[in-house]
Amino acid sequence: MADQSVSQIFSAIADTAPAVRAALPGRRVEYGGENPSGESQLAADVYADSLFKDRLEQVDAVGTYFSEEEESAVAVGDGSLTVAIDPLDGSSNLKSNNALGTIVSVYDEPLPASGDSLIAAGYVLYGPITTMVVAHDGVVTESVLTDGNQEVVKDDLTLPSEPTIYGFGGRIPDWTPEFTEYAREIESEFKLRYGGSMVGDVNQVLTYGGIFSYPAVKSAPDGKLRTQFEAHPMAYIVEAAGGKSSDGTQSILDRTPTEVHERTPVHLGNDELIDRLESSL
Ligand SMILES: O=P(O)(O)OC[C@H]1O[C@](O)(COP(=O)(O)O)[C@@H](O)[C@@H]1O
Ligand SMILES: [Mg+2]
Ligand SMILES: [Mg+2]
């Protein structure tokens, strides 16, 4: 039953992705409002949110829709599942025409919820091609999405065992001394790949092996990324692919936010690099 619900949810996401992509060119402008995290919204953020909500409302298993762009939960049916979504991730990249994503979490509890309540998570990457990565039951698959078509290209995606890249967010002068020291070591060993969209950056870690961090910074001790909409789902995917997640001290999946839009420091990647990070912090 859960399997069927998960596959219906991600079919709905795959069906909607081409329309989201097609809507981007005309929506690179400010919408005029702010989201609950206090960030200004682009027309594309708001439009992608409405497209996903309308489509997920048609999936019987979904009872509640909760978006990074909306203050509170929206009741969309009688189903028992909650879908949390970052409709457009990395939306500041729209101005410079760089990678964007959509992040999707499927919880079997109302939010706020711990990462243990996730039954599946996935993302769409709007790069030169559109791909979708989904984690469920410990297996991660990658598909290529074209209009109306979903072709699985990897049916058991795992993190490469030899890491080669890293990508760290935040301004260097704003990093803590402990994170700066760790970063200096990592910089001397690996190649920098940072694009400013969590989906794009984590997808590179899943492809090449390495570490992505958006750490706690001096001006924002909880970091930038939101637990329910960004950190939990990406941690679930990376852990299912054989890697590790950390908020600096524990798996991100062990965090239960007290408020749905709450933020957390995020570190995702190969075991060895996350272990080293936890000992440095
Ligand atoms: O611009 P910065 O500080 O590098 O932040 C980039 C981070 O912020 C985000 O863009 C936040 O996501 P949204 O675009 O959904 O708000 C992440 O995708 C990315 O990892
Ligand atoms: Mg985001
Ligand atoms: Mg967003």
Side-chain angles (χ1 to χ4, degrees):
M1 184 59 194
D3 290 355
Q4 204 189 345
S5 304
V6 167
S7 92
Q8 285 168 357
I9 289 167
F10 283 99
S11 294
I13 299 296
D15 287 351
T16 312
V20 171
R21 185 167 193 129
L24 298 175
R27 291 183 174 78
R28 302 167 83 181
V29 293
E30 298 283 333
Y31 176 71
E34 277 191 353
N35 72 12
S37 306
E39 298 160 344
S40 57
Q41 294 170 305
L42 293 182
D45 290 309
V46 177
Y47 189 64
D49 181 26
S50 70
L51 287 179
F52 285 117
K53 183 166 53 189
D54 290 351
R55 184 64 184 82
L56 286 164
E57 199 163 20
Q58 297 164 31
V59 178
D60 289 345
V62 183
T64 307
Y65 175 89
F66 214 137
S67 163
E68 181 181 277
E69 301 303 331
E70 301 193 37
E71 195 64 56
S72 35
V74 182
V76 291
D78 299 328
S80 61
L81 301 177
T82 298
V83 174
I85 194 159
D86 176 356
L88 217 48
D89 172 66
S91 45
S92 67
N93 274 0
L94 195 50
K95 197 171 172 186
S96 56
N97 190 23
N98 286 98
L100 295 170
T102 293
I103 309 178
V104 182
S105 328
V106 184
Y107 293 92
D108 62 5
E109 300 271 341
L111 303 188
S114 137
D116 293 342
S117 309
L118 278 168
I119 62 160
Y123 62 78
V124 175
L125 172 57
Y126 310 96
I129 52 176
T130 309
T131 53
M132 182 168 78
V133 168
V134 176
H136 175 53
D137 268 350
V139 178
V140 184
T141 57
E142 181 181 18
S143 312
V144 170
L145 307 181
T146 44
D147 253 324
N149 194 27
Q150 181 183 340
E151 186 197 348
V152 175
V153 289
K154 277 187 200 145
D155 58 12
D156 189 10
L157 193 159
T158 53
L159 212 55
S161 55
E162 292 290 329
T164 54
I165 62 149
Y166 73 94
F168 297 152
R171 288 182 321 110
I172 294 172
D174 205 16
W175 288 349
T176 62
E178 295 79 11
F179 185 78
T180 305
E181 197 175 315
Y182 173 74
R184 292 286 98 92
E185 272 181 36
I186 295 295
E187 285 161 7
S188 69
E189 295 171 45
F190 304 107
K191 189 162 63 175
L192 171 63
R193 287 288 178 93
Y194 186 74
S197 149
M198 184 191 201
V199 166
D201 291 328
V202 173
N203 192 73
Q204 299 208 61
V205 169
L206 285 169
T207 308
Y208 299 118
I211 178 167
F212 166 83
S213 294
Y214 206 110
V217 287
K218 287 182 239 165
S219 62
D222 293 329
K224 176 177 186 186
L225 301 171
R226 280 128 301 212
T227 308
Q228 307 267 226
F229 303 106
E230 295 165 315
H232 269 170
M234 298 307 262
Y236 184 89
I237 295 165
V238 169
E239 291 196 15
K244 262 189 161 176
S245 77
S246 177
D247 63 2
T249 54
Q250 59 178 355
S251 163
I252 288 169
L253 298 178
D254 291 338
R255 283 182 81 96
T256 309
T258 49
E259 191 272 311
V260 178
H261 294 276
E262 195 170 292
R263 302 172 194 261
T264 176
V266 172
H267 309 277
L268 303 168
N270 286 74
D271 288 22
E272 170 229 338
L273 301 182
I274 299 295
D275 291 344
R276 274 170 62 186
L277 169 105
E278 287 187 342
S279 352
S280 306
L281 295 186

